[in-house]
Amino acid sequence: FLGLFQIVSLPFFARGPPSVGVPDGPMWEWYYVTFLHHWAGFVGMIYAINYPITNLLLAKIESMEITSSILAKGTVGLALACAFGLWTSGPFTTDRYAFDLTHPYFGFLPILTYVYFRNIRKTLRERHIAIFKSLGAITLELYLLHHHFFLSSHGTTILVILPGYPKCNLILIGVILVNMARLMHRVTTVFCETLVPSENDTLSIRTVLILGGLAGGFYAMAAGMQSMGMVNMGSIGAVIIACGFLLYQSIIEMTWEEYRHTGGSKLKSTKHEPPVAKFSPPLIGAMLVFLLGTSWHLLALVGATATDRPLPAQCDAVVNDGIWAPVNACSEYQRGHDYRDAGIGSYYRDCDDITNLQWGWRSTTPASHCRFHSRDTVTLQNKLNQQTLVFIGDSMVQQLFYAVCRAVGDTTAGMYDATIPEHGDVRKTIGNIRLEYKWAPLAHDQSTKVKEIRTKTALKSAANPIDLLILGGGTLDRLHIWATDENPETNKEEISKLAKEIEAINEKLNVRTVWCTPTTVNSPALGTEEKRNQMNELVISETRKLYADLGVENAASFVLDGPSYSSDRAGESYDGIHYPSSVYDAAAQIMANAFDWLILSSGEAIRENFEPPVLGTMGNPLLGMMMMCFGLIGLLFFDGYFGFSYLSTLLVRNSGNRQTMMLAVMPNDLYEEAFAPYHQYLKLPMLFYNPDSASDRARGISVGKNHVGRSRALSQRQPSSTIEDSDILSLLDNSTAAGPKSTTSETLSRRSRSGDESAVSFRLD
């Protein structure tokens, strides 16, 4: 409402047009990601604040008699399980976008439920998985580095070092990520202890101010370099070397004195840093940066580049060169082989023990940068966002139109439907993608349709400007026009006109065009004698050559070669002309790879009239109020489980007589007792807390006159005892009589050995 999010984020995330990986713009992408977790930090901090009370509460409950303990734990566990069940049957079952809208408000429930049941028994708390403990120390570093060492393609795919070996690649990337996270953790720890020491506030404040200034300076430098067009490998390398040298010198100046006093006799006698130690590390670092940049450049020259980069235009010479490979989803070796040699791997997900034929591309040299691969629905939707594609041609082009519709998300496209005209125009809108098919079986019809589109586009009377025009034909020309000697000449004239129209719409209106040559004809499957004479494969091959000689292929921006993807499966053509849907799906994948150079700027949906979604539209005020209420309950009532802990008092009632009384444990009764040791350790003002009354009342132990008298006597005998001592003695049930010389450390030692009444250590495996 106030626009605070945009004000805070604007210096870092521009409210600009979309690009690869951010189809709705950088600002919306940042808002979307932060929205998913914007309550997680508050929930975690509230739990951490109440951790001492939650810790002590569980110890108190476990000190009760077995029946009361089970009832107290079971009531809280049942309530959390019911809340978790409602989440799994409600928000968790919704689709992705509906789930994202509710995730910030309900995402903490499964974690909270797991933490409770994971630590409900002392036996569970005493055991843990060591690897999770080790990883828990570097979770922050893992989170920060996984975008750089694990993910690629703007977070949509895993970084590939060993292509074709997905499991080995995953293990290798995981090892690199974990080791880099451990290294960063050690470096961060050393820097924090050196530059931001907890015992030196002056140095810490100065370091924070310097780091803030450096961050602002680097941001200004990056903005200036970007505005002047100086962002390249050379300038970035020079900046890294210069800034690294300054950073090294700054750290040395700040830490040299301390290092000199802690070193040997030679260092103590040296007032200034030796020249070798002063200049050798920056020089070594500069050499490493230079070698790294040179290596990257050489690798790029031989073909090592980002897998998500668009294919270059020279790949049109080999994009039609592919094979139909047998794929057995149950064979890991076969899947790896097909991925490495043919780029197949995104068609199948499950093992069905059936060998299928899938389209793939032949291997190309790495230096060509032609990494053909099947494009999934999300990739194509991003590529064709805000695009208009028009298909003009015969039934073969119509099937290709349906295949493209399926590729961008319409799974029902091309299904048999008697209510749809067999030879009619079709329009579809899938998201922001507009697709249109125009029936034009003959060359004359196609040239007329192209001319009509060119005229409307030139006069700006078309509803939507065309971004890509796909044409095809030739088969029906041979059947219906080449019956006499005069008609072939007329057909040749129409083909020449078609070539001129394609060239005109290409040059004058900058509309890219694709020409689809006829697929291989299964001559024996043709239904009539006339078709077998006029439309057999030998005749159609002459037609393909005729269209090429008359300039149609030269006029088009790209040629989709029909026989390349259909000749190996000609036997599956049931009527001699048409093929199963999978064949046309392969043609759509060939064209999808060609989109990289056919659709340039608009392929990334960069439009002048682009309007990003309105920030704040994902929020839900009612659910936000619910989270605020939960947060206030956790803060004001001192409950790490946001009110669920109070349910333990429902079945644990006052029982017994006046001499022996069992009372329910309330979290708000444990504040002083839980935080008194922390005040003692941090040397904060002590809490006014009566250990006998508060602790005994909360724990429900027997409080008698003798017990109170003994505590008072003990208090008189130990005038120097602290509240910490009383707190620990109360936790130990005052069963251990401390002498006058007992110290706090000895009492703490007794507390650590006190069994069930000791502090509970929560673990999250």
Side-chain angles (χ1 to χ4, degrees), residues 223-374:
M225 292 176 62
Q226 186 175 10
S227 63
M228 293 184 292
M230 297 176 58
V231 180
N232 52 59
M233 289 292 295
S235 60
I236 293 175
V239 170
I240 290 175
I241 293 174
C243 293
F245 179 79
L246 294 176
L247 178 63
Y248 173 78
Q249 288 300 319
S250 300
I251 294 175
I252 289 296
E253 292 294 335
M254 296 173 63
T255 60
W256 173 253
E257 287 297 326
E258 181 179 356
Y259 175 71
R260 184 170 66 88
H261 289 296
T262 58
S265 57
K266 293 183 178 180
L267 285 176
K268 291 181 180 180
S269 60
T270 304
K271 294 183 178 180
H272 301 286
E273 182 187 5
V276 176
K278 185 175 184 178
F279 293 104
S280 57
L283 291 177
I284 294 174
M287 292 178 60
L288 290 176
V289 171
F290 177 77
L291 291 176
L292 183 61
T294 305
S295 301
W296 282 350
H297 181 68
L298 294 177
L299 290 174
L301 292 178
V302 298
T305 183
T307 57
D308 60 335
R309 292 185 60 182
L311 300 175
Q314 60 265 25
C315 293
D316 64 347
V318 291
V319 68
N320 288 293
D321 186 16
I323 57 173
W324 286 98
V327 173
N328 184 355
C330 298
S331 172
E332 292 291 337
Y333 170 78
Q334 182 68 40
R335 294 173 69 164
H337 175 272
D338 292 336
Y339 178 86
R340 294 189 297 272
D341 294 347
I344 302 173
S346 63
Y347 280 110
Y348 52 85
R349 291 294 183 268
D350 301 321
C351 173
D352 52 11
D353 201 19
I354 298 176
T355 299
N356 299 312
L357 292 175
Q358 299 293 350
W359 173 261
W361 289 265
R362 300 184 188 276
S363 300
T364 58
T365 58
S368 67
H369 300 288
C370 297
R371 295 183 176 89
F372 303 117
H373 61 277
S374 300

Side-chain angles (χ1 to χ4, degrees), residues 488-507:
E489 296 301 325
T490 304
N491 183 243
K492 292 179 181 179
E493 294 177 1
E494 294 296 338
I495 294 174
S496 299
K497 290 182 181 179
L498 175 61
K500 293 179 181 178
E501 289 294 337
I502 294 175
E503 186 176 1
I505 200 172
N506 230 335
E507 295 180 355

Side-chain angles (χ1 to χ4, degrees), residues 33-48 103-109 111 627 642:
V33 173
T34 53
F35 171 81
L36 295 178
H37 310 286
H38 71 280
W39 281 106
F42 293 99
V43 172
M45 293 183 70
I46 292 173
Y47 188 92
H103 175 71
Y105 310 104
F106 299 104
F108 72 98
L109 279 174
I111 300 176
M627 289 300 301
F642 301 92

Side-chain angles (χ1 to χ4, degrees), residues 73-130:
K73 289 183 179 180
T75 305
V76 179
L78 180 62
L80 286 171
C82 291
F84 177 73
L86 292 175
W87 175 77
T88 54
S89 61
F92 186 69
T93 60
T94 57
D95 61 85
R96 172 189 171 187
Y97 297 101
F99 177 82
D100 289 345
L101 293 176
T102 59
H103 175 71
Y105 310 104
F106 299 104
F108 72 98
L109 279 174
I111 300 176
L112 201 66
T113 305
Y114 172 78
V115 170
Y116 181 80
F117 284 101
R118 171 65 181 83
N119 300 281
I120 196 171
R121 292 282 298 167
K122 181 182 178 182
T123 306
L124 294 174
R125 297 193 298 271
E126 290 176 344
R127 292 166 173 83
H128 69 279
I129 300 176

